[in-house]
Amino acid sequence: MAEDTRQDKRASFSITEHSANGMARTSAVASGKTGTSKKLVIKNFKDRPKLAENYTEDTWLKLRDAVGAIQNSTSIKYNLEELYQAVENLCSYKVSPTLYKQLRQVCEDHVQAQIHQFREYPFFMCTESLDNLSFLKRMNRCWQDHCRQTVSVMFDRYWTVGMDTGLELFRTHIVSDSAVQKRTVEGILEQIELERNGETVDRSLLRSLLGMLSDLQVYKDSFEERFLTETNRLYAAEGQRLMQERDVPEYLHHVARRLEEENDRIVSYLDQSTQKPLISCVEKQLLGEHMTAILQKGLSTLLDENRVTELTLLYQLFSKVKGGLPTLLQFWRDYIKSFGGEIVCTPEKDKDMVQDLLDFKDKMDNVAQSCFARNESFINAMKEAFETFINKRPNKPAELIAKYVDSKLRAGNKEATEEELERILDKIMIIFRFIHGKDVFEAFYKKDLAKRLLVGKSASVDAEKSMLSKLKHECGAAFTSKLEGMFKDMELSKDIMIQFKQYMQNQSEPSNIELTVNILTMGYWPSYTPMEVHLPTEMVKLQEVFKLFYLGKHSGRKLQWQPTLGHAVLKAEFKEGKKELQVSLFQTLVLLMFNEGEEFSMEEIRAATGIEEGELRRTLQSLACGKARVLNKNPRGKDVEDGDRFNFNNDFKHKLFRIKINQIQMKETVKITSWSLVGFFIH
């Protein structure tokens, strides 16, 4: 047991080693038998080792030499790890305050010495000795060297002559010098002005110097205020000059280019904090101060010429300026009222009024959608303006819109497919909404619809009913009830005529004339002035046959014939051959007279037919003075006068076999083949 105990004992030794820097390190060495493991215990010194004599002074001399080498851009003759360890040792022995003061003083002396290069005569006093660009380059080189040196002089994580101290020294001894600061800022402003004038400058130099001012926390006071003042002055003068020299499209593109350039400067070298005041300054001087002048000078031209690109740019630019969009909105509204008012209030343009209104509305819609970003205020202002100008001339727009619809729904209109016609009707309804006198529209629309239905000239029943549906949706069922009644009358008349034809087939004496009668409800249709005319005997007989047939089925009703709406198809023989003439009932009565004689005066024709004088003049004019002259008038002329005489034009020629005479055309031996009358029934 005694022997085992002795074998378990271990020896413990402490060895003190001195390193090259004078510091002592302690290590422990243990010895014992191999193959056994024991925990190694290292005990601290009971007393803290002292620094070697002259250690602090020697270390400082080494540090000073190293800092000098950094400042002079020469090689450091000491091992950096050794210097780092020495600084750490001194910091652990509370020597850092003294070391900091010494090191700061060395750095400060060096920075102070740099100011002399900016004060050398004649460099500083005479711009010819060193221009502003060279000055800026020298300043930038000094700043870059200082930043590099300051970073290099950071020695320890506990203590350092860091960036804050370096910035403070440079700000205090270099940039805070009023003369140096003034010339630096003026040089930067000069470079920016050159760039604004189209010259190429060193942007990296400007970025570095402005970054210097920002790092030194003098950017705003020393540079930004002065920069914004100069910018304000520049663009104020430029705006005044260019508004006189350039047209509005060119000016708008110039403003957009200037804003793009200034934003690019923010990205390239100006501090981000400058963006808002800089852009506001440019917008104010180039746009805000000239909003009214721009719109007065160019908005009408842009809209007249449909300059979509420039109108879009105008909206985008004005949206950036306080009060820009409200001002643009007012001018936009005034333009629409003025332009539209000219369309509506110029009688010479009545023929094209509706088409011009549709085109104008399409154009303004496109501007609002494409250029004004579908801004609801602009769309509402456009509607308000249309409603205002379209009602400046009461009734006429309503009348012409009704006639325009008639031209589109009438048979023979080959301008549009069914889909295109539907789109046209939709557009017309938009214009229709602006009209106050919708009752005027209804009156004209009803009159034209009656003609289309009675003469069978409606292009499409579907299109007619589609238009009726649109009117009902817009104005309500009461507005369209009579119009719908007109369609019902036409359907009922078809059924009645089928029955009448069957009735005629059972008559002992069938007529050579095919009669068609439309039975209309008087309250639904337009009012027509009753007129008594002298019908041929065969016509009167056929008329009485129908009356007997109809009243036999509908006792208690009264028929009132309306000859002004009647029409007929006549067969005529000319030297060229046989023709068929589509004519009105009045034209029919006049032409049938020439079966009984060769020449008649206007007075004779009037007495024989019973046609009212004004209506007779128009009828004779259509037959003798139009494009298809089936009668000759003596003396010749465009108007029918008292005493004029008429004879049959046997030499009449036409390339078509069936000829429609819209108050015009002719025949030698005339024979009625079909006849249409209108009868109103009264309860």
Side-chain angles (χ1 to χ4, degrees), residues 33 194 235 312 317 324 346 415 424 458 505-506 508 512 520 544 600 627:
K33 290 184 179 181
L194 289 173
Y235 286 121
T312 303
L317 292 175
T346 306
E415 297 177 11
I424 291 172
S458 183
Q505 289 175 357
N506 297 325
S508 58
N512 294 326
L520 312 178
E544 289 299 321
F600 300 94
K627 293 182 179 179

Side-chain angles (χ1 to χ4, degrees), residues 120-274:
E120 294 174 356
Y121 181 84
F123 155 73
F124 194 69
M125 302 300 296
C126 181
T127 56
E128 286 79 4
S129 301
L130 191 66
D131 60 32
N132 286 338
L133 180 58
S134 299
F135 179 91
L136 293 179
K137 290 180 178 179
R138 180 173 292 189
M139 173 59 72
N140 185 55
R141 187 164 56 250
C142 179
W143 165 249
Q144 295 296 334
D145 289 345
H146 177 76
C147 291
R148 176 181 52 78
Q149 293 162 6
T150 301
V151 172
S152 299
V153 177
M154 294 180 180
F155 286 113
D156 189 75
R157 64 182 178 275
Y158 306 113
W159 167 85
T160 175
V161 178
M163 285 302 298
D164 290 343
T165 302
L167 294 175
E168 177 197 344
L169 294 175
F170 199 86
R171 178 173 60 246
T172 302
H173 298 291
I174 303 294
V175 175
S176 291
D177 184 283
S178 60
V180 172
Q181 185 182 107
K182 179 181 178 182
R183 188 165 186 192
T184 301
V185 171
E186 287 180 347
I188 294 173
L189 292 174
E190 180 185 81
Q191 291 299 301
I192 295 175
E193 183 176 1
L194 289 173
E195 187 180 50
R196 282 171 170 167
N197 291 332
E199 297 187 30
T200 302
V201 298
D202 187 348
R203 286 190 159 194
S204 62
L205 174 63
L206 294 176
R207 180 167 54 249
S208 177
L209 291 172
L210 291 170
M212 172 191 75
L213 297 179
S214 182
D215 290 341
L216 298 176
Q217 298 180 353
V218 296
Y219 176 88
K220 187 173 183 64
D221 294 335
S222 67
F223 170 76
E224 187 179 78
E225 292 182 4
R226 178 87 179 275
F227 170 68
L228 293 176
T229 299
E230 292 298 315
T231 299
N232 194 70
R233 178 192 58 77
L234 168 70
Y235 286 121
E238 183 173 280
Q240 292 287 348
R241 175 173 54 82
L242 294 183
M243 276 301 296
Q244 301 296 324
E245 296 176 357
R246 301 188 180 185
D247 59 19
V248 168
E250 189 179 2
Y251 184 81
L252 292 175
H253 284 293
H254 175 79
V255 174
R257 185 168 59 252
R258 280 302 201 189
L259 287 170
E260 184 179 353
E261 290 172 358
E262 296 302 337
N263 275 304
D264 187 47
R265 288 187 183 93
I266 296 293
V267 174
S268 298
Y269 53 78
L270 293 172
D271 191 86
Q272 192 65 33
S273 63
T274 307

Side-chain angles (χ1 to χ4, degrees), residues 335-447:
Y335 170 83
I336 295 174
K337 289 180 181 179
S338 174
F339 192 95
E342 186 177 348
I343 294 175
V344 170
C345 298
T346 306
E348 295 77 12
K349 297 184 178 181
D350 283 357
K351 181 180 178 182
D352 300 316
M353 179 194 292
V354 178
Q355 188 60 54
D356 288 346
L357 287 175
L358 292 174
D359 294 342
F360 184 50
K361 184 63 168 58
D362 283 345
K363 186 177 178 180
M364 294 301 98
D365 281 340
N366 182 57
V367 172
Q369 297 291 325
S370 303
C371 306
F372 294 166
R374 297 181 174 86
N375 188 311
E376 198 67 28
S377 296
F378 282 78
I379 294 174
N380 291 335
M382 175 177 61
K383 293 177 181 178
E384 175 195 328
F386 264 82
E387 185 174 356
T388 299
F389 77 70
I390 207 169
N391 292 292
K392 278 186 175 181
R393 189 180 176 193
N395 302 335
K396 197 62 179 180
E399 173 190 345
L400 295 177
I401 290 173
K403 291 185 179 299
Y404 184 86
V405 174
D406 176 60
S407 71
K408 297 302 179 184
L409 294 179
R410 197 185 306 139
N413 173 35
K414 301 178 180 179
E415 297 177 11
T417 62
E418 289 187 7
E419 293 78 10
E420 291 170 340
L421 179 57
E422 188 69 17
R423 285 195 293 270
I424 291 172
L425 295 179
D426 286 334
K427 291 180 179 180
I428 290 172
M429 290 306 301
I430 294 174
I431 301 297
F432 172 76
R433 291 189 186 106
F434 300 130
I435 297 172
H436 292 165
K438 290 182 171 59
D439 55 336
V440 176
F441 171 87
E442 181 194 14
F444 282 99
Y445 183 81
K446 182 191 290 187
K447 180 181 177 183

